[in-house]
Amino acid sequence: MVTVASIDPAATRVSINARAPALPVIALTGANPLTIAQGSVFTDPGSSVTDNVDVGLTATVTGTVNTAAVGSYTLIYHVSDAAGNAAIPVTRTVHVTDQTIPVIALLGASPLTIAHGSVFTDPGSSVTDNVDVGLTATVTGTVNTAVAGTYTLTYNVSDAAGNAAIAVIRTVNVTDQTAPVITLKGASLLVFRPDSTVLYNDPGSEVTDNVDVALTATVTGSVTLAGVGSYTLTYNATDSAGNAAIPVTRSIVVDYLAKINVLGANPLTIGQHGTFIDPGVRIEGLSLPTLTTTGTVDTAIVGTYIITYNAIDTGGISATPVTRTVNVIAGQTMSISKASVVEG
């Protein structure tokens, strides 16, 4: 007998309902990559999780972001559902960048005022930045101290991240700070003889200045030649910058002109070994004059001698000097024995 075994169809049935488990899905909120400023406060935009069964799932995050240090940071988001199905991790890149501009601070004054013709030295500037150190501003513009005017210097700088500082400007005023100089034409003391028919004609003055040209001094005071008197003229000048010159004065004396008249012979001859006493002079036009005589005569030696006479009065008026020639000759004993000084 042949025995035939029976086969249970259920034992060989393959289930057509079997499927792979469903994983949670993580979706980032906000940008990725995300760029934030160095030194700012970082707040993670977070993420959302969806699952075919579980609700309210929240991803956990690993990694940190140090906003104090420029760089790129990575955050990794993980989550598993209640059945233990782990989501595919999602990463967010966070770039911490330098977004703060440097700050330029001027050293020294602005506006800065310097003298025309001086040497200009820029006081410079300092630069501070939240990341970079040792930054130096570049300067554009020039200052020409040879020309009075207003000049502008502009300071600029950018940090390593390309952040440009707000430009800073220094104003430099080159000003004329030098006073003019007045120079009198003619003497500072003029003496005239009284004459009612003549008008005083001032010789004038010149004014020089480091900037302005054709400046003219103004004169205060008046002079009349009609009678004896003393006068003072004062000269002043101011340039276009308001610098006043040191005033200059001229004195004018109206008086009878001083004159020295030599008394006796001139030239005068005397014998060798004779006695010489100066015959003297007569002085006109001086009040209380002082007479000075220079030169000597040595009658022991044959030759020609010169005596010079000068006179000045208490008001400072001088007469024109005059001279006497004395010839000492041999073979005679002629003597001169009388000297005089006559005022009048």
Side-chain angles (χ1 to χ4, degrees), residues 259-266 268 276-283 286 290-297 305-312 318-326 336 338-341:
K259 183 178 180 181
I260 303 174
N261 299 298
V262 176
L263 300 178
N266 189 24
L268 185 151
F276 171 70
I277 299 176
D278 192 343
V281 296
R282 182 176 68 252
I283 301 172
L286 294 183
T290 299
L291 177 70
T292 58
T293 304
T294 57
T296 59
V297 176
Y305 300 87
I306 303 297
I307 305 296
T308 301
Y309 306 90
N310 289 277
I312 187 171
S318 299
T320 301
V322 297
T323 62
R324 183 197 306 277
T325 301
V326 179
I336 301 298
K338 181 179 180 181
S340 66
V341 176

Side-chain angles (χ1 to χ4, degrees), residues 120 140-144 151-153:
F120 171 67
T140 56
T142 58
V143 176
N144 182 6
Y151 300 87
T152 298
L153 301 178

Side-chain angles (χ1 to χ4, degrees), residues 29-275:
T29 303
N32 185 34
L34 177 64
T35 300
I36 63 173
Q38 187 262 355
S40 64
V41 176
F42 172 66
T43 301
D44 186 357
S47 62
S48 62
V49 180
T50 57
D51 188 67
N52 64 330
V53 175
D54 299 329
V55 294
L57 293 178
T58 303
T60 59
V61 186
T62 59
T64 58
V65 176
N66 181 8
T67 60
V70 171
S72 294
Y73 300 87
T74 300
L75 301 179
I76 303 175
Y77 300 75
H78 304 268
V79 71
S80 295
D81 61 17
N85 300 305
I88 296 172
V90 176
T91 61
R92 186 197 307 273
T93 301
V94 180
H95 299 300
V96 177
T97 61
D98 178 8
Q99 300 177 26
T100 302
I101 64 174
V103 176
I104 303 171
L106 293 181
L107 302 177
S110 182
L112 177 63
T113 300
I114 61 174
H116 171 275
S118 64
V119 176
F120 171 67
T121 301
D122 186 358
S125 63
S126 63
V127 180
T128 56
D129 187 67
N130 63 327
V131 175
D132 300 329
V133 294
L135 294 178
T136 303
T138 57
V139 186
T140 56
T142 58
V143 176
N144 182 6
T145 60
V147 179
T150 299
Y151 300 87
T152 298
L153 301 178
T154 303
Y155 301 74
N156 290 281
V157 71
S158 294
D159 62 19
N163 300 305
I166 297 173
V168 176
I169 294 175
R170 187 196 309 275
T171 300
V172 180
N173 296 314
V174 177
T175 61
D176 178 9
Q177 300 177 25
T178 302
V181 176
I182 303 171
T183 304
L184 293 180
K185 294 180 180 179
S188 60
L189 172 62
L190 298 177
V191 180
F192 296 91
R193 189 181 186 89
D195 191 336
S196 59
T197 65
V198 177
L199 296 178
Y200 172 72
N201 185 22
D202 189 58
S205 63
E206 292 182 345
V207 181
T208 56
D209 188 67
N210 63 327
V211 175
D212 299 331
V213 295
L215 291 178
T216 304
T218 57
V219 185
T220 56
S222 61
V223 178
T224 176
L225 304 182
V228 173
S230 296
Y231 305 89
T232 299
L233 299 180
T234 302
Y235 301 75
N236 289 281
T238 301
D239 62 21
S240 59
N243 300 303
I246 297 173
V248 176
T249 60
R250 189 196 310 274
S251 296
I252 296 94
V253 175
V254 182
D255 203 344
Y256 292 95
L257 298 179
K259 183 178 180 181
I260 303 174
N261 299 298
V262 176
L263 300 178
N266 189 24
L268 185 151
T269 301
I270 185 173
Q272 185 180 18
H273 303 298
T275 301

Side-chain angles (χ1 to χ4, degrees), residues 14-19:
V14 177
S15 176
I16 61 173
N17 294 322
R19 62 181 64 180

